[in-house]
């Protein structure tokens, strides 16, 4: 398979979720996927640093599966439907039915137990990000704060926990400038990289077309001047 160009996930996502002012001032974009968290820092409009941390949403799902003793497919569904990172986001007496392994009957689990499992892992995520920013000396260079995107960023309380631990402005990055008519379908951080790739491709095509038009006009101008010179001199 021939590959003409590779696009780093957060670079793609940046086309869909970052604001021009953030790129210029200094911002850290974190694309939280299923297997990795991809980090990209933009300063002065350009990407100045990038890295990948091998922890992300899939690890949360696995934690839930182990802690609640439920198959992974159910753990993922439970995370999406009931998941949160902070205790105050759920009622202490709320319970959920959790499918068991094999033929065993479902178990009734306190939702606060689920939050404890998820919160512990997300706290690890944000502590790792903080350590990485400090290690690279970038922490003081991102006054616009952090933008979280990707499927694992939309967990309830994720933004709030990140702001508490990182002590900086944090927002969830949703795809902007999406195709008209599809806003309700793809207005989700999980689609940021995909939408970003489409926007990136559109930009390349636009630049290519504009470049060809400009080159054509320049050629017309050059030959026009040559024809004028020939008429004047011969």
């Amino acid at each position: 398979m021939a590959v003409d160009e590779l696009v780093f996930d957060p670079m793609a996502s940046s086309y869909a979720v970052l604001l021009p002012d953030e790129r210029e001032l200094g911002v850290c974009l974190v694309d939280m996927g299923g297997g990795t968290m991809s980090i990209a820092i933009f300063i002065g409009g350009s990407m100045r640093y990038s890295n990948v941390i091998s922890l992300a949403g899939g690890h949360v799902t696995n934690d839930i599966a182990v802690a609640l003793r439920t198959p992974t497919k159910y753990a993922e569904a439970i995370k999406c439907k009931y998941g949160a990172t902070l205790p105050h986001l759920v009622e202490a007496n709320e319970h959920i039915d959790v499918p068991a392994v094999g033929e065993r009957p479902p178990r009734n689990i306190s939702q606060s137990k689920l939050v404890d499992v998820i919160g512990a892992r997300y706290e690890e995520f944000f502590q790792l990000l903080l350590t990485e920013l400090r290690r690279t000396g970038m922490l003081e260079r991102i006054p616009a704060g952090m933008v979280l995107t990707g499927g694992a960023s939309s967990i309830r309380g994720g933004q709030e926990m990140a702001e508490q631990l990182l002590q900086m402005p944090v927002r969830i990055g949703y795809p902007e400038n999406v195709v008209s008519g599809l806003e309700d379908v793809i207005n989700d951080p999980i689609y940021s990289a995909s939408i970003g790739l489409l926007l990136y491709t559109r930009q390349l095509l636009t630049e290519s077309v504009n470049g060809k038009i400009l080159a054509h006009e320049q050629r017309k101008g050059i030959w026009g001047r040559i024809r004028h010179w020939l008429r004047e001199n011969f």
Side-chain angles (χ1 to χ4, degrees), residues 85-86 119-120 122-123 126 157-166:
T85 62
L86 298 167
Y122 271 83
E123 183 174 349
F126 298 134
Q159 177 183 359
E160 184 179 349
M161 175 181 272
E163 287 183 334
Q164 290 175 2
L165 295 175
L166 301 172

Side-chain angles (χ1 to χ4, degrees), residues 6-19 22-23 27-33 36-42 45-53 129 146-151 171 173 189-197 199-200:
L6 295 176
V7 181
F8 189 41
D9 267 1
M11 176 61 82
S13 298
S14 72
Y15 283 88
V17 304
L18 287 189
L19 304 174
E22 291 173 329
R23 285 173 171 270
V27 67
C28 178
L29 174 64
V30 181
D31 193 318
M32 305 179 74
T36 61
M37 291 191 296
S38 302
I39 307 167
I41 294 178
F42 294 82
S46 301
M47 188 169 74
R48 301 300 179 88
Y49 174 79
S50 66
N51 201 356
V52 176
I53 295 176
L129 290 172
M146 182 175 288
V147 177
L148 303 175
T149 196
R171 72 175 180 89
I190 197 171
Y191 298 118
S192 294
S194 301
I195 298 302
L197 282 172
L199 295 173
Y200 174 68

Side-chain angles (χ1 to χ4, degrees), residues 10 14 23 28 42-43 58 65-66 69 79 90 93 95 100 112 127 141 150 159 172 197 211 214 219:
S14 72
R23 285 173 171 270
C28 178
F42 294 82
I43 301 172
V66 172
R69 299 197 293 267
K79 179 182 72 174
V90 299
N93 59 353
H95 287 69
S112 60
Q127 291 290 358
R141 302 187 63 190
Q159 177 183 359
I172 306 301
L197 282 172
L214 178 60
R219 286 195 297 271

Side-chain angles (χ1 to χ4, degrees), residues 59-65 67-68 84 111-122:
H59 296 82
V60 180
T61 301
N62 186 66
D63 290 346
I64 295 170
L68 303 188
Q111 197 169 342
S112 60
K113 180 176 181 179
L114 174 65
V115 172
D116 289 342
V117 174
I118 295 174
R121 183 63 84 171
Y122 271 83

Side-chain angles (χ1 to χ4, degrees), residues 47 56 66 70 90 100-101 124 137 155 168 227:
M47 188 169 74
V66 172
T70 188
V90 299
V101 178
E124 181 185 14
I155 191 82
M168 67 174 65
R227 285 195 297 270

